[in-house]
Amino acid sequence: MSRIDETLAMDRRRFLRAALAGGAVAVAGGSLLAPRLFARGTAAAIPAGTAAGGDVLLECFADDGHRLGPCHVRKLVLTDAQWHQRLSDDAFYVMRRNGTERAFSGPHERPGPGLYRCAGCDTALYDAATQYDSGTGWPSFWQPIARANVVESRDRAFGWERTAISCAGCDSHLGHVFDDGPRPTGLRYCMNSVALRFVAATSG
């Protein structure tokens, strides 16, 4: 066996070991489609060539806040270039680089009845009825619209442990949750305004 053949065989073995261990496999080219959650729970294709994420079970909501029920969707996975096309620079920094916007730099008080969706994939995240003015300068809520739609993880970035919140539909960073909120939960979901898109409730 030549040296090139030995190298190729070794690379194949490494690939198979990674795949069997649950490693991620990158998809180049092709026409894999991943859904984006829109107002009525319908899915729309994102550009061909996007890597495919795993299936996730979310709770879908109409723009008027009506619960549409559980829905299986494909997690939205994009390249950095595609995220840059979809998000503003500030939103990219927060959502894809785990950043934090300056306090009071964006809308942080409830604008009226409605719900907040992820700025990246439109997953429903918070009902405006659970929003309150925490005085911190960031949008704050005492609970998410559905626990299945957000993901909690440990964040030790600044030398102490916090609980980070990300969107279950696209793994984008949203903010953190703290235990100094109001009743009935006692929690404060402190979000970045650039990570949220408010949808006003429509009457009738």
Side-chain angles (χ1 to χ4, degrees):
M1 182 181 289
S2 70
R3 191 174 193 125
I4 293 176
D5 290 336
E6 288 176 350
T7 302
L8 290 174
M10 188 179 303
D11 286 342
R12 289 192 194 100
R13 286 195 294 272
R14 286 195 190 113
F15 175 84
L16 289 173
R17 280 199 298 270
L20 291 173
V25 179
V27 179
S31 59
L32 292 173
L33 302 179
R36 182 184 179 197
L37 299 180
F38 282 88
R40 299 298 170 185
T42 58
I46 60 175
T50 298
D55 285 336
V56 290
L57 180 63
L58 304 177
E59 287 289 330
C60 285
F61 292 80
D63 281 347
D64 62 4
H66 176 68
R67 186 185 293 263
L68 300 174
C71 53
H72 278 281
V73 301
R74 185 69 100 184
K75 183 171 290 188
L76 181 61
V77 180
L78 300 176
T79 65
D80 278 354
Q82 289 170 320
W83 280 118
H84 271 298
Q85 290 178 344
R86 182 173 289 238
L87 302 172
S88 68
D89 289 344
D90 289 341
F92 181 88
Y93 166 69
V94 167
M95 301 178 74
R96 307 311 304 175
R97 294 295 181 263
N98 298 322
T100 301
E101 67 188 5
R102 287 184 300 104
F104 299 100
S105 64
H108 60 279
E109 295 182 0
R110 188 172 77 182
L115 57 82
Y116 289 86
R117 295 187 179 276
C118 173
C121 69
D122 266 357
T123 295
L125 298 173
Y126 296 97
D127 188 325
T130 66
Q131 187 177 3
Y132 69 100
D133 186 0
S134 64
T136 61
W138 289 285
S140 299
F141 308 84
W142 46 263
Q143 74 177 16
I145 199 168
R147 289 299 300 268
N149 292 9
V150 298
V151 177
E152 295 186 3
S153 61
R154 293 179 179 177
D155 178 2
R156 301 187 180 95
F158 293 100
W160 74 91
E161 187 170 302
R162 298 179 295 170
T163 301
I165 299 296
S166 59
C167 172
C170 65
D171 287 335
S172 290
H173 175 69
L174 303 172
H176 295 83
V177 60
F178 303 95
D179 60 2
D180 57 1
R183 294 180 179 179
T185 64
L187 299 175
R188 172 170 59 95
Y189 286 82
C190 185
M191 302 292 101
N192 290 276
S193 65
V194 293
L196 306 176
R197 180 176 70 87
F198 179 71
V199 181
T202 56
S203 58

